[in-house]
Amino acid sequence: MGAAPAHSLFVSDLHLSPDLPGASRLFQRFLRDVAPQAEALYILGDLFEAWIGDDDLDFPLHAEIADALRGLTGQGVGLYLLHGNRDFLLGEGFCRATGARLLPDPSLVELHGTPTLLSHGDAFCTDDEAYQAFRRQMRDPAYQAMLLAKPLAERRLMAQALRRESDQAKSGKAMAIMDVNAAAVADCLRRYGYPRLIHGHTHRPGRHLHELDGKSCERWVLPDWYAGGGYLRCGAGGCEAVGLS
Ligand code: LP5
Ligand code: MN
């Protein structure tokens, strides 16, 4: 059998945590058996259920995942990372430990011949105004520096409190509010010259076509890994979604 044609892989919303060890096992298997054949692996946010700072890399699950990612980059596979709303504090320490490179959100890449815009996806959820206000605060560098200056144990408690607040806030929100806003997606596609778009966050995997100004843009939404998981594989011939269980 010949080598696989050049391709890149995309995952997001793994939400790895010690509470759901199945997802970490599945991801380890994916890193061992699937990812090494790729040119690059892009992780489009929410790799971890909650990331409270790179000084938490000693935590056993974090160390295991970082080692496995380092194993992948050691084989020559490019590793690129976007922040999600759960792991926006991933920083240079994590990159040094794994060989990953952090990309801004959104990032336009030339993907095997097709311009492709990569995003976590939460920025498109503009109908969720409470979340967008929260996001602006969490992404403020001065606010992040203030958070990171707190002791690890205090940050852990804060993250738990924020998770509870978030679940409570979500229970009062309509499902439609928590999906992407079509106009926000269209604006972004226009701004970046009508690329293909790949994102996660909504946990509503699928392929959508946006017909805009006489152009057709493909939008892929990645699945979460809460019960099984999956990835997108893109090469010169296009993308295909692959499920894992
Ligand atoms: O994450 P998910 O799927 O539950 O919902 C998201 C939005 N919620 C969030 C909040 C995160 O879940 C919080 C966890 C972050 C972990 C890392 C934190 C590290 C920093 C802290 C420690 C150093 O992103 C949710 C969206 C939903 O996606 C769909 O898009 O709706 O948005 C919200 O729920 C936000 C609320 O509407 C408003 C924010 C309420 C926060 C109130 C703060 C109370 C103070 C708590 C004490 C610190
Ligand atoms: Mn998310």
Side-chain angles (χ1 to χ4, degrees):
M1 221 169 73
H7 63 277
S8 300
L9 303 176
F10 297 83
V11 296
S12 73
D13 303 282
L14 295 98
H15 292 271
L16 303 182
S17 94
D19 300 336
L20 282 175
S24 297
R25 277 198 298 271
L26 197 58
F27 188 49
Q28 293 275 13
R29 224 173 64 211
F30 166 80
L31 292 177
R32 190 192 63 205
D33 298 341
V34 180
Q37 280 83 54
E39 209 169 90
L41 170 64
Y42 292 82
I43 302 175
L44 302 187
D46 290 358
L47 172 60
F48 294 103
E49 177 75 351
W51 190 261
I52 57 175
D54 289 355
D55 50 344
D56 203 20
L57 260 166
D58 296 335
F59 187 73
L61 172 80
H62 300 163
E64 282 161 29
I65 297 297
D67 284 352
L69 291 171
R70 165 56 74 191
L72 183 69
T73 56
Q75 295 171 69
V77 178
L79 178 63
Y80 302 93
L81 202 60
L82 265 69
H83 285 138
N85 55 302
R86 304 292 194 89
D87 53 11
F88 53 84
L89 290 178
L90 283 169
E92 286 310 315
F94 187 78
C95 289
R96 270 194 304 279
T98 57
R101 266 195 277 168
L102 268 168
L103 299 177
D105 186 347
S107 277
L108 187 64
V109 298
E110 187 68 26
L111 193 69
H112 307 285
T114 302
T116 303
L117 193 66
L118 310 177
S119 176
H120 179 56
D122 54 330
F124 299 129
C125 301
T126 52
D127 294 331
D128 192 345
E129 289 172 10
Y131 171 64
Q132 293 301 329
F134 174 77
R135 184 180 194 274
R136 278 192 292 279
Q137 182 176 18
M138 292 295 145
R139 301 304 178 95
D140 173 31
Y143 189 77
Q144 291 189 0
M146 183 277 289
L147 287 176
L148 289 171
K150 293 182 185 298
L152 205 49
E154 190 179 334
R155 276 179 269 152
R156 196 162 287 131
L157 290 175
M158 284 181 75
Q160 284 164 6
L162 286 172
R163 289 292 311 114
R164 281 194 298 273
E165 291 288 336
S166 181
D167 282 342
Q168 205 187 334
K170 282 192 303 185
S171 67
K173 293 179 191 178
M175 283 305 277
I177 283 182
M178 292 187 280
D179 203 351
V180 299
N181 172 290
V185 170
D187 284 352
C188 191
L189 291 171
R190 265 190 203 103
R191 197 162 353 113
Y192 283 88
Y194 307 95
R196 172 204 279 149
L197 172 61
I198 304 175
H199 71 83
H201 182 67
T202 60
H203 302 194
R204 301 177 203 200
R207 175 181 179 270
H208 305 266
L209 281 179
H210 292 257
E211 308 293 344
L212 278 178
D213 312 332
K215 313 234 177 9
S216 184
C217 302
E218 200 179 33
R219 174 170 69 95
W220 287 93
V221 186
L222 300 169
D224 67 67
W225 287 51
Y226 277 129
Y231 60 92
L232 193 69
R233 177 194 158 114
C234 300
C239 298
E240 69 167 324
V242 184
L244 292 172
S245 54

